Amino acid sequence: MNEIKTSKKKALIVVGGGITGLSTALTWAINHDVKKEPVLLIEKEPKTGGYVTSYEREDYVFDTCQIIPNLSEILEYLGVDIELKSFKGYYMRIFLVNPDTEEVRVLELPSGVETFKKMLMEKYPNNAQEIRKFLDYSRAMYLELFKLKMEPKFTEILKMLVSCPKIVKNASKTFKKYFEKFKITEPDVIEIFNVFAEFSAIPSEQVVAIVPLSAMNSLLDGAFRPTKGFIEFPKKIEERYLSLGGELRLKTKVEKILVEKDQVKGVRLSDGEEIYSDYVVTTVDPKVAMKDMVGLDIIRQYNKKYADKVEKVKMSTSSMNLSIGLDDEIDLAGLGLDCGYNVITTGGDTYDRLFEAYEKGQIAFSDKLFHIGVVCPSLTTGGRPNIIVRITPMALADWAELREKNYKKYTEKKEKWAEFFIDKVEKYLIPDLRKHILVIDISTPATYARYSGSPSGAVYDMAPYPNNFGRTRLKMRTPIKGLFQPKFVHGVFGCLLAGIQVNDMILDRKIMNGNARMPKS
Ligand SMILES: Cc1cc2nc3c(=O)[nH]c(=O)nc-3n(C[C@H](O)[C@H](O)[C@H](O)COP(=O)(O)OP(=O)(O)OC[C@H]3O[C@@H](n4cnc5c(N)ncnc54)[C@H](O)[C@@H]3O)c2cc1C
């Protein structure tokens, strides 16, 4: 029998060096003497960051991520200094295209909750009171999040009935059901809030209301990007983690999470080495972690409901991304691109129909049906002129297989779709765009699947359906003692927070007293 190589036992092993893993490992290092209670972060790629990164193509530096809310209290807690710059101008502009006449109308949404509210009430006086009620109620519900507990005790549940009544009442409502209560009838206003809902990459009639409402409220408070690129997040967190004595192994793949009876024991790497620990936090795709790394049969022995839940969990959609480097002749500011997001959409039930096709593994984008996000990072944080075109939902379908078995066909397919989306951006947002393009980098669902290790290339972890959110979500604390999976979050903010939350659980509420959020500064 081959001898198993082992390392010294760790106090904590973190699987996956994306933002969730980095935040988890750093929070541990902040709260322990790591000489006595060592923490090891294991990442399969040559660098940390996972989905959060910046990359160079010729003279251009592109970011994967584009926009984040104010993270100052979390960064302060982590002791990480990252310079953020706020988007100026509008928070969002919606280019509503009539697919039959090709006419386009622009809806401009300013930043700042109060400014946004005032603008909508003035522009749509027939619905002014309904709009006010909707925004005030949603804001109050968003603020209740700060009173939620992660694993409430019985008395805390009773307290939450009083302190978080709006969340309790609406916990299982979809955005559409919730929105209908406010009886807003103006088609443009309905369109605007649907676009907000669709930022969760799920149609408004399927996404749980609180997720897009939180994203909307936090981003209306301020939308930012790091001045030196999103790579600053992994870079700075890793630096601080290492400076506190945390251990990091790159280019190292975890194959198994070892379990003995109902207690986690450590991990086995792909080269067979075993590393032991009584605490393991996995931050990789939860289905992969629970099914392939632990084994559902093992989990089922201790908690059948949890195992069934793992099987039922739906992951979020994947995406296609075009990073486009432009020449210096283009006047992006003149086109109003100095703002957060631009959405070009055929509106109405567009997202529902795209999503229906996505669920069947099909692509339904056509000249009559599209929904495209466009951001111009260079106007906010400098660098050579560039735009990012984001497309969801996009299913993995045959992307990964083509990439592996027929690279030529894969390239043709991605170039065909890139052309399609560039055509729409040129037609409705940036005239003569093609004339100015110097570099295009195209990412597909296969790109995301490869980097994250999430087989479907899901960009936002588990999808926030009402039956998989709040009390019904796949819990961070797994049925295996010492094994946690702090996933189910949307974006950088949620991932940073999840890393702190999971340490709070391990440390019996020492950090956040069991609260779901850091206190608002
Ligand atoms: C194109 C794109 C744009 C986005 N834009 C935004 C945005 O504008 N704003 C925002 O807030 N969020 C955005 N997001 C979402 C955000 O990036 C993610 O929610 C977040 O980065 C997820 O972090 P994570 O650590 O949970 O997972 P990941 O980033 O997936 O990290 C998981 C890590 O685990 C590693 N790993 C996997 N398997 C193993 C294994 N077996 N052994 C060891 N390591 C392993 C992977 O290599 C990876 O580094 C975007 C995502 C994408 C893809």
Side-chain angles (χ1 to χ4, degrees):
M1 210 175 106
N2 286 344
E3 199 182 312
I4 297 170
K5 191 178 152 208
T6 59
S7 306
K8 205 167 152 257
K9 191 170 174 182
K10 308 294 171 195
L12 171 70
I13 294 173
V14 182
V15 184
I19 293 301
T20 312
L22 283 163
S23 169
T24 305
L26 173 54
T27 304
W28 179 278
I30 290 171
N31 287 283
H32 296 82
D33 176 353
V34 297
K35 282 201 192 84
K36 292 187 194 132
E37 296 180 280
V39 45
L40 171 65
L41 176 61
I42 303 177
E43 167 55 47
K44 71 172 170 50
E45 296 294 320
K47 62 177 185 179
T48 57
Y51 276 157
V52 178
T53 195
S54 312
Y55 52 97
E56 277 179 46
R57 293 289 181 270
E58 299 181 24
D59 287 344
Y60 293 82
V61 180
F62 299 116
D63 284 324
T64 45
C65 294
Q66 297 307 325
I67 195 164
I68 41 173
N70 188 348
L71 306 167
S72 52
E73 65 267 19
I74 294 185
L75 294 180
E76 203 175 301
Y77 175 77
L78 294 175
V80 174
D81 189 18
I82 296 174
E83 194 183 291
L84 301 175
K85 199 155 177 209
S86 111
F87 278 93
K88 285 175 269 167
Y90 296 103
Y91 163 66
M92 180 160 65
R93 297 188 303 170
I94 302 172
F95 292 74
L96 203 53
V97 177
N98 178 328
D100 298 321
T101 61
E102 297 190 351
E103 273 168 351
V104 57
R105 278 189 315 117
V106 188
L107 307 173
E108 294 171 328
L109 314 180
S111 298
V113 179
E114 286 307 315
T115 321
F116 176 62
K117 182 161 71 184
K118 189 163 174 270
M119 181 285 276
L120 284 183
M121 287 174 68
E122 279 172 12
K123 196 161 173 202
Y124 305 101
N126 289 342
N127 270 173
Q129 289 320 310
E130 289 82 0
I131 291 168
R132 187 183 52 74
K133 271 192 200 146
F134 168 71
L135 286 173
D136 288 352
Y137 189 97
S138 304
R139 179 79 183 168
M141 182 157 81
Y142 162 69
L143 293 173
E144 284 179 9
L145 285 173
F146 292 85
K147 297 173 194 152
L148 275 189
K149 294 279 180 195
M150 286 297 291
E151 295 180 309
K153 297 172 187 157
F154 180 67
T155 49
E156 288 170 342
I157 294 179
L158 295 180
K159 265 194 203 154
M160 272 162 30
L161 293 174
V162 180
S163 59
C164 308
K166 295 183 175 59
I167 292 184
V168 172
K169 191 166 168 205
N170 296 293
S172 60
K173 285 207 178 81
T174 62
F175 182 83
K176 188 160 188 231
K177 274 258 154 338
Y178 171 85
F179 187 75
E180 277 168 0
K181 269 195 342 191
F182 297 91
K183 303 198 174 8
I184 293 174
T185 50
E186 283 282 357
D188 279 2
V189 182
I190 296 174
E191 199 64 64
I192 288 168
F193 289 111
N194 269 345
V195 169
F196 270 114
E198 286 142 11
F199 269 131
S200 330
I202 308 185
S204 64
E205 61 187 43
Q206 296 188 46
V207 67
V208 65
I210 189 74
V211 169
L213 291 173
S214 313
M216 178 178 87
N217 269 286
S218 59
L219 285 168
L220 279 172
D221 280 345
F224 299 85
R225 48 184 301 115
T227 47
K228 292 186 189 146
F230 273 83
I231 192 89
E232 283 284 282
F233 278 94
K235 189 171 154 245
K236 289 279 180 70
I237 299 174
E238 181 187 315
E239 270 169 23
R240 169 130 165 88
Y241 169 67
L242 295 176
S243 76
L244 292 174
E247 297 170 43
L248 171 64
R249 279 174 74 167
L250 296 170
K251 295 197 228 165
T252 304
K253 190 168 176 191
V254 172
E255 203 165 78
K256 280 275 165 209
I257 293 174
L258 305 170
V259 175
E260 206 169 78
K261 296 217 178 89
D262 62 346
Q263 168 66 51
V264 78
K265 216 180 111 195
V267 296
R268 182 182 308 134
L269 306 180
S270 54
D271 66 1
E273 182 184 353
E274 292 189 352
I275 311 175
Y276 302 121
S277 176
D278 293 337
Y279 284 105
V280 173
V281 173
T282 159
T283 70
V284 306
D285 180 305
K287 277 173 124 58
V288 173
M290 297 301 126
K291 286 169 105 168
D292 305 341
M293 291 180 169
V294 179
L296 274 192
D297 47 336
I298 297 181
I299 294 175
R300 191 163 280 117
Q301 280 176 41
Y302 300 105
N303 189 332
K304 180 175 174 311
K305 240 170 113 184
Y306 196 93
D308 291 346
K309 183 104 210 163
V310 171
E311 288 200 292
K312 278 195 210 125
V313 158
K314 276 196 195 169
M315 298 303 288
S316 63
T317 70
S318 196
S319 171
M320 190 165 178
N321 232 50
L322 315 180
S323 302
I324 304 180
L326 301 162
D327 64 23
D328 297 318
E329 306 300 312
I330 194 159
D331 180 12
L332 293 167
L335 291 164
L337 280 149
D338 200 357
C339 65
Y341 247 89
N342 300 276
V343 177
I344 312 170
T345 177
T346 41
D349 63 354
T350 293
Y351 209 84
D352 307 56
R353 289 164 61 199
L354 292 172
F355 197 81
E356 224 174 272
Y358 151 83
E359 289 206 299
K360 294 183 201 144
Q362 295 163 0
I363 304 177
F365 288 92
S366 73
D367 286 338
K368 304 267 180 205
L369 195 73
F370 47 86
H371 189 94
I372 304 165
V374 183
V375 186
C376 178
S378 53
L379 284 178
T380 304
T381 38
R384 300 206 58 194
N386 66 79
I387 58 164
I388 307 297
V389 180
R390 288 211 60 194
I391 304 107
T392 55
M394 181 67 76
L396 180 75
D398 63 351
W399 285 106
E401 201 184 329
L402 278 181
R403 192 183 182 284
E404 199 183 315
K405 297 192 178 145
N406 191 338
Y407 198 76
K408 185 167 170 277
K409 214 164 158 198
Y410 170 74
T411 308
E412 281 164 10
K413 180 172 170 171
K414 72 176 189 176
E415 284 173 355
K416 182 193 106 181
W417 279 109
E419 275 303 304
F420 171 86
F421 294 115
I422 288 171
D423 188 58
K424 299 292 164 268
V425 178
E426 185 169 67
K427 198 161 184 175
Y428 300 112
L429 178 61
I430 308 178
D432 293 330
L433 171 63
R434 279 193 181 83
K435 274 206 249 164
H436 299 282
I437 296 178
L438 297 180
V439 175
I440 305 184
D441 184 77
I442 310 166
S443 316
T444 71
T447 320
Y448 298 122
R450 197 158 44 98
Y451 278 113
S452 67
S454 183
S456 62
V459 288
Y460 294 126
D461 299 312
M462 292 181 267
Y465 294 99
N467 65 357
N468 190 37
F469 194 74
R471 284 183 304 113
T472 61
R473 60 168 269 172
L474 188 68
K475 304 264 184 292
M476 279 193 191
R477 189 185 292 273
T478 77
I480 308 298
K481 285 187 197 132
L483 177 63
F484 294 80
Q485 60 90 17
K487 294 291 273 189
F488 195 81
V489 280
H490 249 244
V492 176
F493 170 81
C495 294
L496 288 170
L497 186 65
I500 306 175
Q501 286 168 339
V502 74
N503 276 277
D504 194 50
M505 278 183 190
I506 295 173
L507 288 173
D508 286 332
R509 301 182 162 199
K510 185 183 146 199
I511 307 171
M512 299 207 289
N513 191 26
N515 290 324
R517 302 282 297 252
M518 303 287 281
K520 220 167 156 45
S521 51

